[in-house]
Amino acid sequence: MARRRKTIGAISAEQAHQALTFLVHKGKVTAKQVEKALEHRERLIREIQERMAALGADAARSGNRLRKSAVAGLRSAEKASRPARKRVVSAATKAARKAQGKYMSAVRQLSKDARKQIKEIRAKSGVKAAIAAAKRMVP
C-alpha cells in the first residue's frame, strides 16, 4: 500500500526558495534534481497550453464556467468553515429563562394537585408569586 504523503499547504515563493536552498545545502536534494523538476513542470505547462489551444474556443468557455463554479464552491466552503456566530440573548430573555428554571425546580417536588394550584397562581399573579407559593407548599 502506498504511503500517504503530507501536504505542506500554501507557501510563498520565497519560502519555497528558502526550503529548496536549505535542502540542497543539507545534501537532501541535489541541484540537478531541482533543475529536472523545473524542466518537467515547464513541459507539463506547455502540454496543457497546447491541449487548450487544440480544444479551441469551446474549451475556453467551459473553462470559464468551471472556474466560476470553483470560485463559488470555494466561497461556500469558506462560509461553512467559519465558526457559528454566538447569538446575543437580551437581558429580558435571560431573566425569563432564569425565572422559568426557578419555577421548574420549585414545582418539581410538588404533587400533581399542588402543581395545578401553582399553575393557577402563575396564570393569575405571575412567576414570582408562583415560585413563592410553591416554596411554601414544599413539605
Side-chain angles (χ1 to χ4, degrees):
M1 187 164 161
R3 277 181 56 189
R4 190 166 183 192
R5 296 181 184 191
K6 292 182 182 178
T7 59
I8 57 173
I11 61 171
S12 68
E14 183 180 339
Q15 290 171 327
H17 182 272
Q18 290 170 352
L20 274 175
T21 304
F22 179 78
L23 291 172
V24 169
H25 178 72
K26 284 287 195 178
K28 302 287 182 179
V29 177
T30 64
K32 187 76 171 172
Q33 289 173 324
V34 173
E35 287 176 16
K36 278 187 177 182
L38 291 173
E39 288 172 7
H40 182 69
R41 179 181 177 273
E42 292 299 322
R43 205 171 333 126
L44 286 174
I45 290 172
R46 271 196 308 274
E47 285 179 21
I48 291 170
Q49 288 172 341
E50 289 169 4
R51 288 179 186 174
M52 290 294 287
L55 289 173
D58 291 339
R61 280 194 292 269
S62 64
N64 284 337
R65 278 196 306 260
L66 287 173
R67 183 182 50 80
K68 287 177 184 176
S69 66
V71 168
L74 288 175
R75 286 188 184 140
S76 63
E78 233 176 62
K79 288 180 184 176
S81 67
R82 289 183 197 154
R85 263 191 338 182
K86 195 171 186 181
R87 299 214 178 216
V88 179
V89 180
S90 69
T93 304
K94 283 181 186 177
R97 289 179 180 171
K98 191 173 182 178
Q100 176 67 11
K102 287 183 178 182
Y103 172 79
M104 293 299 291
S105 67
V107 171
R108 183 178 296 122
Q109 303 169 18
L110 302 176
S111 66
K112 286 189 177 183
D113 293 333
R115 286 183 192 181
K116 284 182 184 178
Q117 290 174 352
I118 297 300
K119 199 172 188 180
E120 290 171 5
I121 293 171
R122 180 179 179 174
K124 289 179 187 173
S125 306
V127 176
K128 287 184 181 180
I131 292 170
K135 287 184 179 180
R136 283 190 303 259
M137 287 184 170
V138 174

